[in-house]
Amino acid sequence: MPISKLLSEIPDSYFGKTMGRKVEHGPLPLINMAVGIPDGETPKVIVDEFINAIQKTENQKYGAFHGKDAFKQAIVDFYKRHYDVTLDKEEEVCILFGTKNGLVELPLCVVEPDDYVLLPNPGYTDYLAGVLLARAKPYSLELTSENHYLPIWDNVEDEIIDKTKLIYLTYPNNPTGSVASKQFFDDTINRFKNSQTNIVHDFAYSAFGFDKKNPSILQSEGAKDTAIEVYSLSKGYNMSGYRVGFAVGNKEMIAALKKYQTHTHAGMFGALQDASTVALNECDDFLIKQNEIFKNRRNKFEASLREANLPFEPMKGGIFLWLQTPPKYDGEAFVEYLLKEQSILVAPGIPFGDNGKDYVRISLALSDSALSEGASRLQELAHLYK
């Protein structure tokens, strides 16, 4: 079967390759801690609106390419209410068919071949595909535990910065669970606001901030001159199957994304937009509850690991814990060991960048009983770390 040279040079998506595959494991019941699919149900008010909206005649036909006015207004109102950020619903909002689509499409819209794009290492796996599809040059943005997985801009060579047209950031960070402060975003915007470099902040885990609320990059003065933020409904609202998100911010990047979408999509299903409008307008309390659920899970799971002296990165936000591997194992070897010996499936760190080589990513998107059992099984491995 034919495949283009460009596509053949792009690595397979790690989760596209592994999700749904049959897993061979040891004798214990399998605990799948590899994938960050929220385990709770979508709030009833959202589901009810979706059921009702499907039956509306207007939603059974083509709609406006760039979305319903009510949905765009809900996005504007949500950002004003939660972050005190003012948005123009026509020029600074782009509806996305899942945030992954927008994050992968963006380089095709805003960079040229051979431009540099800085990618967080470790960071979400599929940013790389978008850069390679645009024939741009990915460059590793080194993130380390010592600096709480925040980049140090002065450590990036000037000649690289001069060639960089786009930077990906993601906080709370997937996979490390680290977070960013408003001061970090202020400093970052000040560093790049008068340059040719634009920024995209992946805010997929915005709802999950355990010590304090996660800031939006758009709260920083001048941010809309150089940055967009990509927001997902998948995690906070338990709506991963709906595939709805949006990008907000810099109007030139928003316009580019919208132009691209006019050639690849013919508008989002109206019933999805109606359900998402209800989510943004009526479910603020649910976001608070969701955060509390995962904060409690974080507290209990980390306490179990500390009890056994297992090394991990403190989880400040998001839904993933970043666990260091035992001395004789890299991430991929430890994944196989956990499957065979403890019937636990986790994600190796290496797909998130070579700085993840000696880590595995553990999802807390499981029931309390499954997390408790998983923690108990991990405690049995304390001898491997000695």
Side-chain angles (χ1 to χ4, degrees):
M1 185 174 179
I3 184 171
S4 70
K5 183 174 183 293
L6 175 62
L7 191 58
S8 68
E9 292 172 350
I10 295 173
D12 289 337
S13 166
Y14 173 76
F15 291 106
K17 182 172 60 176
T18 58
M19 276 186 65
R21 67 179 173 90
K22 185 177 180 180
V23 176
E24 299 292 336
H25 60 87
L28 297 171
L30 179 67
I31 301 177
N32 188 343
M33 309 179 85
V35 181
I37 301 175
D39 55 303
E41 295 183 357
T42 306
K44 185 176 184 298
V45 65
I46 300 173
V47 176
D48 288 346
E49 176 61 25
F50 188 47
I51 293 169
N52 179 59
I54 288 173
Q55 302 173 71
K56 293 180 179 178
T57 303
E58 72 234 39
N59 285 334
Q60 297 163 16
K61 307 181 188 307
Y62 286 127
F65 268 39
H66 298 308
K68 293 188 175 189
D69 187 75
F71 184 27
K72 291 184 288 186
Q73 187 61 52
I75 293 168
V76 169
D77 293 344
F78 180 88
Y79 256 72
K80 184 63 177 177
R81 192 167 67 248
H82 284 264
Y83 305 111
D84 196 26
V85 170
T86 301
L87 296 167
D88 183 297
K89 69 175 181 286
E90 301 303 333
E91 292 194 323
E92 296 175 340
V93 174
C94 177
I95 295 168
L96 299 173
F97 299 77
T99 56
K100 176 176 175 175
N101 285 27
L103 291 163
V104 173
E105 292 166 354
L106 184 63
L108 281 164
C109 303
V110 301
V111 305
E112 301 295 339
D114 295 328
D115 285 342
Y116 278 64
V117 179
L118 301 188
L119 300 181
N121 180 5
Y124 180 57
T125 60
D126 284 319
Y127 301 149
L128 175 63
V131 177
L132 297 179
L133 284 169
R135 294 180 170 85
K137 293 185 176 180
Y139 190 86
S140 177
L141 183 58
E142 301 294 317
L143 308 182
T144 65
S145 175
E146 291 73 22
N147 201 49
H148 310 292
Y149 294 99
L150 294 168
I152 301 174
W153 300 118
D154 288 343
N155 288 353
V156 184
E157 297 175 17
D158 288 343
E159 63 182 88
I160 298 299
I161 291 292
D162 290 343
K163 298 177 183 177
T164 295
K165 294 294 180 63
L166 185 65
I167 298 171
Y168 280 77
L169 297 174
T170 175
Y171 295 100
N173 181 272
N174 174 14
T176 68
S178 57
V179 296
S181 65
K182 183 178 181 297
Q183 184 62 57
F184 167 77
F185 286 139
D186 289 346
D187 294 344
T188 297
I189 294 301
N190 285 332
R191 174 68 176 79
F192 293 103
K193 65 182 179 182
N194 294 318
S195 72
Q196 64 177 351
T197 304
N198 289 314
I199 299 165
V200 53
H201 179 228
D202 179 357
F203 208 20
Y205 299 94
S206 55
F208 307 94
F210 304 138
D211 300 324
K212 61 177 65 174
K213 183 173 180 177
N214 293 306
S216 162
I217 195 172
L218 299 184
Q219 291 174 292
S220 296
E221 185 177 354
K224 286 196 290 183
D225 293 337
T226 191
I228 63 170
E229 189 157 72
V230 176
Y231 191 98
S232 172
L233 276 68
S234 294
K235 316 302 182 183
Y237 299 98
N238 290 337
M239 292 177 66
S240 59
Y242 292 69
R243 309 308 305 135
V244 180
F246 52 85
V248 289
N250 178 265
K251 63 183 181 181
E252 286 82 13
M253 283 194 281
I254 293 297
L257 272 171
K258 290 168 74 173
K259 179 176 182 178
Y260 182 88
Q261 287 192 346
T262 62
H263 295 289
T264 58
H265 305 294
M268 179 179 286
F269 183 29
L272 282 175
Q273 296 185 59
D274 292 346
S276 300
T277 299
V278 166
L280 294 175
N281 284 342
E282 301 181 23
C283 296
D284 286 358
D285 288 346
F286 185 80
L287 293 181
I288 296 171
K289 293 176 184 177
Q290 186 84 316
N291 187 52
E292 285 300 313
I293 288 170
F294 278 85
K295 181 178 180 178
N296 289 334
R297 290 176 178 179
R298 184 277 309 258
N299 291 344
K300 292 176 182 178
F301 200 80
E302 286 193 349
S304 295
L305 298 184
R306 287 193 185 96
E307 185 179 328
N309 292 316
L310 301 185
F312 62 91
E313 297 300 327
M315 186 180 172
K316 300 295 186 181
I319 65 174
F320 301 112
L321 183 134
W322 198 228
L323 177 69
Q324 193 171 336
T325 60
K328 294 183 180 180
Y329 295 83
D330 65 11
E332 292 177 318
F334 195 47
V335 167
E336 294 303 316
Y337 180 90
L338 288 174
L339 266 177
K340 180 180 178 182
E341 300 298 329
Q342 296 292 342
S343 298
I344 295 174
L345 178 62
V346 298
I350 192 65
F352 301 95
D354 56 17
N355 286 340
K357 180 174 67 71
D358 296 324
Y359 289 86
V360 294
R361 192 194 73 173
I362 296 175
S363 171
L364 302 192
L366 290 88
S367 68
D368 289 348
S369 59
L371 283 172
S372 178
E373 175 62 20
S376 295
R377 294 185 195 178
L378 288 170
Q379 285 180 323
E380 296 176 11
L381 305 180
H383 64 280
L384 297 177
Y385 288 88
K386 295 179 179 176

